Structure formats: C-alpha cells, structure tokens
Amino acid sequence: MDKTRRDFIKQAALFSMAAANTSLLVVKASAAQTKLKLSEFASFDGLGLAELVRKKQVSPLELVEDALRHVERLNPKLNAVLPKLFDIEKARDRARRGAGEGRFAGVPTMLKNLIAYKDASITNGSRMFARLIEKNGKAAKVSSPLVEAMEQAGMIITGVTSSPEMGLIDTTEPVLYGASRNPWNPAYTTGGSSGGTAAAVAAGFVPFAHASDGGGSIRIPASQCGVFGLKPSRNRELGNSPSRGGGLEVLNISSNLCLSRSVRDTAAFLSVVENKNIANLPAVGFVSAPSKKRLKIALVTQALNGKAPDPEVQNAITSTAKLCDRLGHKIEEAKLDLNGEAFIDGFIGLWASGTVEYEKMVAEWFGKDAKPEDYLEPWTLGLAELAKRRGVQNCWQKAIQEFTAATTVLEKMFQSYDVILSPVLRLPPYKLGHHSPTVEFNTLMSRVLDTVGYTPLHNAAGTTAMSVPLYWTATGLPIGSQFAAWRGGEATLLQLAYELEAARPWTKKRPPIYAGKF
C-alpha cells in the first residue's frame, strides 16, 4: 500500500465516526499491536470501511483479504469462526466483481451458524445436521431473505461464526466444534447463542456480523463480549413473517439482526434488512443521531426469579443509571407486576417444545436404530424429554397464557415510561464449562435459570431491547446494560445508544487479545 493512501486511511480512521457523533477505535498502535501487525482497518466501523471503498482508497478484495488474515492470526485462540463451513473463494470472487452501490458496499461480514445461506454448509452447531450434509450434501438451496438483503446492500459474506447446538443455550460450547473463547479472557464464555459472532466482532475480524435472538441470544453475548447488540421488535426484519393467528403470534419469539462495535453500524444494518410492510409497525429507516428528547426510564433490577442481581452486576446497572441521570434523563426505580416463576415455566416449556422433532429427524435421516445421543447433545435431549413429559400442546398453551399476561404488564409499564433499564444477566460472565451442554441436565437447567433472568421477557412480548457495553469489572470483563422499549421503539433505543456511546465511548477499550496477552 503506498504512503499517500496509508496516510489517508490513518486520518480517515480518526475522523470516520465524527459525523455520527460517536467515537470508534481511535487508538494509537502500541508496540504489541505493531508486533501483531493488526489490521489497519480495525480502526473503522462498517460505514467507515464503506466510505473508503466509495472513495476508492481501498478495494473490496483488500478488505476481504485483510479480514481473512485477521481470522488466520487470531481465530485459533478464539474458535469464533468455523472456516470449514464456508469456501472463502466465494467471498474473494464476489469482492473481485465489486459490491455495487449499497450502504455497506464492499464491507466484509459474517453469518451465524443458524441462518440459511446457499453458499455455506450451515450445521446449526449440531452433529445431526453435519452428518446429514456429509451423507447427502443436503444444505440450504436458497438464502434467507435477510441474508439476501445483506448482500444487496453490498456486504460480502466472509465466514460463518459458531453457535451452540440449535441456539439452545446461553453459551457457545457445541460438542461438534468446541468452545468459543472470550477475547477479554479466554477462560470465559462468549455468551450465546450468538457467541461466535460476538467474539469475532470484539476481536476485530469484521466490524459487525449477523446474530439472532430467541431468548437473549443477541443481548447476552453482546454483554459478555463488550459489543453493541439490538434485538428488534417482533416481525421487524425480513424473513420474520407474522404467524397466522390462532393465538400463535405470541409464540414468535426469535429475531435476527447483528452485533457491532458502533451504534451507527447497527442502525444502518437495521435500515437495510427491515421489512417496511408490516402492519402497525412503521418503518424505522436509518437513525443517524441522538435525540434532544429526555426520557423517563424505569430502573428494574429484580430478576424474573425474584432474586437481586449479583453485586458486580448491580454496580454496573447503578453506574449506567447514574450516567443516564447525568445526561438529563429521569430515572425511577420500578418493579414488574409479573409472576416471574410462572413466566419462566411457560418460556422453558416453549423452548423445550421445539426440540421434540429432532429425535424424529435422527430416526428419519439415519435409520430407526440410530441413537439420538450420537447426534444430539445432552442438553437438547433433556429439553426434548421435558417437553414430552409436559406435552407439546400443553407447553404451547401455557406459553400463550404467560406471554399474553407478560405483554399486558409490559404494555402498561410503557404507558408510564419510555424505556426500561435492567441488567442483561443476573450474574457476571462465567467460566467455560459452567453452562456446557454436557453438564447434567437438572444442574444445568438450574444454572441457566439463575443467570438468564431478564432477556426472555422481551422475546415473549415482542418488544425491542438492546445491550449497551458501559461497564467493565475490575478483572476486565464486560457487563452490558439492557434497555428496552415498546414494540416499534427501535429509534428511541438507537438515539439513546448514540448518546451513551458519546458519553462513555466503549470502542476505546480493546480486548487483551489485541495486545497478544493470550
């Protein structure tokens, strides 16, 4: 790269985020960074890289090659990306052809191993799907509408990130691929189920990457890895179609979006993948700046199981509440008038009900003598047994009842407040193995329910929520703060996130992997 362009890129890195009133990775190279020869493009968010492409200061192929080199150097330490699932020549070919004129033209990104993509062997983190692909090559013939929109916006898929089996747990430690490791401390979880994505983004492989959320799976790894994650409202994004009535709409708990290092990347990502034709859900568009409006924020610290957060988590949320107060927002302590135990029971029943068909798939695909335990993890099989004991229909009916009640409670609260502030998780980041899918089922269930105490509520109600990285523990582990708004409130959250990002710039913090400490 010639000196003139190198100087331009250095200057652009300093100023690429100024117009958006954000701070992104304005960090001088240390001796350790120089030794690692880290990507000069890691100082940019996705929109910053797209600007370089538009100004012809870099080509899409150079960005793709840079991302691949970054993965080659650091992924062996993190196990966040699954290279064997994706032919990188496809990324190179697309980059050579050019990326069009979309908002993210030429920007490399990645997909979570849970979404349909015609050019990858998506295994859902499961031995069952991996062996099916080995057996007959069966894989997605077409991409998800969301992935198609990503590519139409000029993004170049450059890899597949790891997830737990079927996305069923709050850590990313699938038996098939092994544990993904946290860039802040490799002994700790990345969270789940978008843990591979969170680690890849935090480590600077790509500026943002696809993630999904069926019970906290965007917000939990965002919190654990110190990145930004927004779960959109129910049916907001392409490919998330409304259910056909009959009370089943409330059971649609999953959403897709991304994890990013900057608020504006998430805002722009949402603008290119949102479904603009959903009744009673006006389009968001690109939210580009904070609002002058001061918000009334409810501070809710009690988890759904009735417990208070761990003191370290309490410190994080107290710190966030004080920051919001200093910014002029009105903070009031509040409590959800909700039967938390009944809600949790309904949610777990619904969560488990989706696993019953997997055992049938094993028999159908591999023969009636095939042993489910050879294809599915203990946690998945335990959930299936739970659902069979209760009865799938009973699980659905219980979920509809509890989710409807929870939605009523939240809707009433949002008549008095603009936003709800709470922890993302009740406990600080935990070490790998503590929530491993091979832990004895009842023990693991107890651990999961004791940790995941805040996020599922917003999946059940279809409300939008985000994890914002505003706090690090004394040992250097991130703890996110969750903000939620009523359905359709993405603009409110993004505007607040811009303000928080400017007040406490998290992108100045680099995980230790950048300094070569592990």
Side-chain angles (χ1 to χ4, degrees):
M1 182 178 293
D2 62 80
K3 185 177 185 300
T4 300
R5 188 171 65 165
R6 189 162 54 244
D7 289 344
F8 173 88
I9 289 173
K10 186 181 295 184
Q11 290 300 314
L14 293 174
F15 298 109
S16 67
M17 299 296 290
N21 293 317
T22 61
S23 299
L24 177 71
L25 300 179
V26 183
V27 182
K28 294 181 179 179
S30 66
Q33 289 172 324
T34 301
K35 181 180 178 180
L36 278 175
K37 298 180 181 178
L38 290 178
S39 164
E40 62 191 302
F41 301 114
S43 297
F44 294 81
D45 67 350
L47 289 177
L49 292 178
E51 182 68 10
L52 291 182
V53 172
R54 278 192 290 273
K55 291 183 176 181
K56 300 188 184 305
Q57 295 296 322
V58 69
S59 72
L61 182 58
E62 285 177 293
L63 292 181
V64 167
E65 293 291 1
D66 187 79
L68 294 175
R69 284 193 297 270
H70 209 75
V71 171
E72 183 180 6
R73 293 187 195 108
L74 299 183
N75 192 59
K77 300 179 181 181
L78 296 179
N79 193 32
V81 180
L82 305 172
K84 293 182 179 180
L85 301 191
F86 179 72
D87 182 358
I88 59 176
E89 289 305 318
K90 294 182 184 295
R92 291 186 171 114
D93 288 345
R94 178 144 194 249
R96 291 187 186 101
R97 295 195 303 268
E101 301 297 326
R103 177 161 276 162
F104 286 108
V107 179
T109 189
M110 295 180 177
L111 299 177
K112 180 180 177 180
N113 189 23
L114 279 182
I115 193 167
Y117 183 47
K118 61 182 177 59
D119 288 332
S121 299
I122 299 299
T123 65
N124 304 292
S126 174
R127 289 169 292 171
M128 181 177 72
F129 284 103
R131 291 178 184 177
L132 181 66
I133 292 172
E134 290 175 0
K135 179 182 177 182
N136 58 17
K138 183 176 181 180
K141 304 301 181 184
V142 296
S143 299
S144 158
L146 184 132
V147 177
E148 290 180 347
M150 290 171 64
E151 293 192 317
Q152 288 168 8
M155 303 178 208
I156 300 177
I157 309 302
T158 312
V160 175
T161 62
S162 190
S163 73
E165 181 168 77
M166 318 303 182
L168 288 172
I169 200 165
D170 63 324
T171 188
T172 302
E173 305 177 47
V175 170
L176 180 59
Y177 299 116
S180 293
R181 297 183 176 276
N182 196 312
W184 297 92
N185 187 323
Y188 284 78
T189 180
T190 60
S193 62
S194 305
T197 288
V201 171
F205 294 177
V206 288
F208 60 85
H210 163 257
S212 58
D213 192 316
S217 292
I218 286 175
R219 292 156 288 159
I220 290 170
S223 177
Q224 303 275 37
C225 290
V227 295
F228 179 69
L230 172 76
K231 182 198 86 70
S233 303
R234 178 180 290 137
N235 300 326
R236 169 66 76 190
E237 75 281 9
L238 292 167
N240 194 350
S241 302
S243 303
R244 295 185 176 181
L248 297 180
E249 170 73 4
V250 74
L251 300 184
N252 180 13
I253 60 174
S254 294
S255 297
N256 287 266
L257 204 62
C258 69
L259 290 168
S260 70
R261 295 197 300 272
S262 75
V263 175
R264 71 173 190 168
D265 269 1
T266 290
F269 190 101
L270 176 60
S271 74
V272 301
V273 303
E274 71 170 323
N275 188 338
K276 298 178 175 62
N277 299 305
I278 297 294
N280 302 317
L281 202 61
V284 180
F286 178 42
V287 180
S288 60
S291 170
K292 294 181 180 179
K293 178 183 177 182
R294 298 300 83 187
L295 303 174
K296 187 176 181 182
I297 301 176
L299 175 60
V300 175
T301 57
Q302 181 176 292
L304 292 168
N305 61 9
K307 294 182 180 180
D310 177 272
E312 190 76 82
V313 175
Q314 181 66 62
N315 289 341
I317 302 307
T318 298
S319 173
T320 296
K322 289 180 178 178
L323 174 61
C324 291
D325 180 71
R326 289 199 301 271
L327 293 172
H329 301 288
K330 184 178 182 181
I331 309 293
E332 290 184 1
E333 292 188 13
K335 185 176 180 180
L336 289 169
D337 185 19
L338 178 69
N339 186 334
E341 290 188 1
F343 171 82
I344 291 170
D345 189 62
F347 194 92
I348 287 298
L350 176 66
W351 198 247
S353 69
T355 64
V356 173
E357 293 299 316
Y358 295 143
E359 287 182 300
K360 297 178 182 178
M361 290 177 182
V362 169
E364 178 184 345
W365 293 346
F366 304 104
K368 63 180 181 180
D369 294 329
K371 298 179 180 179
E373 59 268 27
D374 291 336
Y375 297 84
L376 298 168
E377 294 176 351
W379 173 247
T380 303
L381 293 172
L383 289 172
E385 288 302 314
L386 185 154
K388 285 187 288 187
R389 288 196 305 270
R390 295 188 181 188
V392 171
Q393 292 295 329
N394 291 336
C395 288
W396 289 0
Q397 291 172 5
K398 173 70 171 176
I400 291 172
Q401 174 185 333
E402 297 303 332
F403 291 7
T404 300
T407 300
T408 299
V409 169
L410 275 181
E411 186 173 19
K412 182 179 180 180
M413 177 166 276
F414 281 121
Q415 291 172 359
S416 301
Y417 297 96
D418 300 301
V419 169
I420 298 173
L421 166 62
S422 75
V424 176
L425 296 164
R426 199 186 74 79
L427 302 175
Y430 51 85
K431 288 189 174 182
L432 289 169
H434 191 59
H435 285 202
S436 167
T438 59
V439 171
E440 190 275 326
F441 181 77
N442 290 327
T443 299
L444 182 54
M445 177 65 76
S446 177
R447 291 176 180 176
V448 170
L449 295 183
D450 193 38
T451 305
V452 185
Y454 304 89
T455 55
L457 180 62
H458 299 293
N459 298 85
T463 42
T464 181
M466 65 182 181
S467 175
V468 187
L470 298 172
Y471 184 90
W472 270 255
T473 69
T475 57
L477 292 171
I479 295 179
S481 296
Q482 178 172 246
F483 294 87
W486 184 241
R487 297 170 187 165
E490 286 88 347
T492 296
L493 293 185
L494 289 168
Q495 288 163 351
L496 175 59
Y498 276 120
E499 194 175 357
L500 296 169
E501 183 182 39
R504 193 177 289 176
W506 53 79
T507 49
K508 290 183 178 180
K509 293 181 175 291
R510 294 290 191 106
I513 193 170
Y514 276 85
K517 292 183 179 178
F518 66 83

